[in-house]
Every structure is written in C-alpha cells, then in structure tokens.
Amino acid sequence: MALWDLLRAMVRRWPIVVVGAILTLAAANYASQDRSVYWTRTDLVFLAPKNAQYPNALRATSEDLVITAGVVGKLVVGTRQIPKFTATDAGLIGMGVRDGWTVRLPDTGGQWAPNYTDQWLIIEVVGSDPETVRTRKEQLVEEMTAALDRVQDEYQVDKAFRMTTKEAPGSTVVYPVGGSSKRAFAVSGLLGAAATLYLVVRIDPILLRRKARRAETPPETDLG
C-alpha cells in the first residue's frame, strides 16, 4: 500500500484512528509514570577483639564469628522468611521486590546443603523514597548492634574480649533503580501507532470489498 493510499484509508477509517490515538496516548502516559525505587546494601562485618595475636580485627576470622553473625541475624529477622539466592551478589531488586528489606548470612552452598563461611550479614533495603530506605537501613544496623550486645551480655563476655561490628561501606549509599520515562512514552507511542495502522490496513480492504459487492447486487424487483 502506497503512502497516499494509506492516508486515504486513514481518512475513511477515522473512527479507528481516533480510538487508536486515544488508547495509545493513555497507554503511553501510564507507561511513562515514574515507578523508580531506591535500593541500598550494606555488609555488617563482625570483628574479633584485638589482641597481641590478632592486632588487625579485619583479618581475624573464625567459626565463632560466623556463628555469632548468624545468631544476631536470626534475632533481628525473627520469623521472617529469608530468601535463598543463587549467588551472594543477588538481591531483592532481582526478585522483583519494590518495598521491603532483608538481613541474611551469605550462603555459598548449593541446593543440597548450605555453606556459611563469611563473618558478615548482608543488609538490603528497597523502597519508594531514598530517605525512608536510608532510615530503615540505619535502624537495622542499630538493632543488630544491640542484639550483639545482648548476646554478649547474656554470656557475660568481658569488654576486652567482645566482638564488634563495622559497616562496609562506611556511609550509606542509596541507588535509584528505574527506567526512562521518555523512552517508555516513545516506545508505547510507536507500538500504539503501529497497531492502529495495522488495523486500518487490514480492515479497510475488507470494508471496501463489502461495499463493492453491495453496489453490484441489483435491487429486487417487485413483480406483484
């Protein structure tokens, strides 16, 4: 179909064009709405007490640190279900979560058995507002620090031998996650225009043939 033929078909089928334009505009406006979310992740590292043998707490690792991190995480999480990820760098955004949080001990095991070897807890927070995400993350860190103190108080651990925690990174970084509103509007508009033109091209010949057949059919003669 030539361009001129297409234009004439659009004029003849103007109701389809008008309805298509309205639906396309509505879909484009909906698709271009800002649905960005904000995400942050922090690793809360559990550190052994400094002593002559281990002057650098960051380099001191032990099974006790891993176990304690797991206990503290469980105290904070409670009965919440902890998602199982296929990789330690996977997160809530990849699961489609747009509002929530999780605290988990990195699990490098497979589907048959877990394997906990890292002495830190992964904190993730997702939300629609950056300040809310930042505040919730800081609250989680405070809750876990308090939980660690309670555990050590319960076992009457001397201050010189107490575990401590350190955030990595040290400052909260909140990342926006979302698409381009302009791109979404443009793509939706193109798809809607293409769908409208397709309907015009398909329907116009059918209606023209029906009109031609009706014109060729002679009127019935009344013989009475």
Side-chain angles (χ1 to χ4, degrees), residues 100-191:
W101 60 271
T102 182
V103 173
R104 69 184 190 276
L105 194 65
D107 183 2
T108 57
Q111 67 180 94
W112 305 114
N115 184 38
Y116 302 109
T117 59
D118 299 315
Q119 62 193 63
W120 61 78
L121 291 170
I122 299 174
I123 307 170
E124 277 191 277
V125 182
V126 181
S128 58
D129 176 72
E131 191 57 38
T132 301
V133 170
R134 183 178 291 105
T135 301
R136 186 54 184 147
K137 172 259 175 183
E138 292 172 354
Q139 289 175 347
L140 289 170
V141 172
E142 292 176 359
E143 289 178 20
M144 284 185 283
T145 302
L148 176 60
D149 289 339
R150 289 198 306 271
V151 170
Q152 296 186 110
D153 288 342
E154 182 179 349
Y155 287 92
Q156 299 180 347
V157 179
D158 189 86
K159 183 174 293 187
F161 300 102
R162 285 187 170 235
M163 298 179 186
T164 57
T165 59
K166 181 179 179 62
E167 295 181 54
S171 59
T172 304
V173 182
V174 180
Y175 301 94
V177 180
S180 170
S181 298
K182 293 181 179 179
R183 188 179 299 115
F185 187 91
V187 171
S188 300
L190 290 174
L191 291 175

Side-chain angles (χ1 to χ4, degrees), residues 90-101:
L92 294 177
I93 293 293
M95 294 178 59
V97 177
R98 293 296 179 264
D99 187 12
W101 60 271

Side-chain angles (χ1 to χ4, degrees), residues 200-216:
V200 170
V201 171
R202 295 290 294 179
I203 293 175
D204 185 64
I206 297 174
L207 296 180
L208 287 177
R209 286 195 295 269
R210 289 181 179 177
K211 184 178 180 180
R213 282 198 297 267
R214 286 197 299 267
E216 293 173 358

Side-chain angles (χ1 to χ4, degrees), residues 2-153:
L3 178 59
W4 181 246
D5 294 332
L6 177 60
L7 293 175
R8 288 192 298 180
M10 291 174 65
V11 172
R12 286 193 296 267
R13 310 307 164 200
W14 65 266
I16 297 177
V17 176
V18 171
V19 173
I22 294 174
L23 294 177
T24 298
L25 183 61
N29 283 329
Y30 178 78
S32 62
Q33 292 178 2
D34 186 12
R35 298 184 181 83
S36 297
V37 295
Y38 296 87
W39 168 83
T40 188
R41 166 174 167 159
T42 297
D43 294 342
L44 189 66
V45 185
F46 285 68
L47 306 176
K50 294 181 182 180
N51 51 46
Q53 184 178 3
Y54 297 107
N56 187 348
L58 288 172
R59 301 188 60 180
T61 60
S62 71
E63 185 177 351
D64 293 336
L65 289 170
V66 178
I67 293 174
T68 303
V71 170
V72 170
K74 187 62 178 177
L75 289 174
V76 173
V77 173
T79 58
R80 288 171 60 97
Q81 184 177 3
I82 302 176
K84 171 71 174 178
F85 297 99
T86 57
T88 56
D89 57 351
L92 294 177
I93 293 293
M95 294 178 59
V97 177
R98 293 296 179 264
D99 187 12
W101 60 271
T102 182
V103 173
R104 69 184 190 276
L105 194 65
D107 183 2
T108 57
Q111 67 180 94
W112 305 114
N115 184 38
Y116 302 109
T117 59
D118 299 315
Q119 62 193 63
W120 61 78
L121 291 170
I122 299 174
I123 307 170
E124 277 191 277
V125 182
V126 181
S128 58
D129 176 72
E131 191 57 38
T132 301
V133 170
R134 183 178 291 105
T135 301
R136 186 54 184 147
K137 172 259 175 183
E138 292 172 354
Q139 289 175 347
L140 289 170
V141 172
E142 292 176 359
E143 289 178 20
M144 284 185 283
T145 302
L148 176 60
D149 289 339
R150 289 198 306 271
V151 170
Q152 296 186 110
D153 288 342

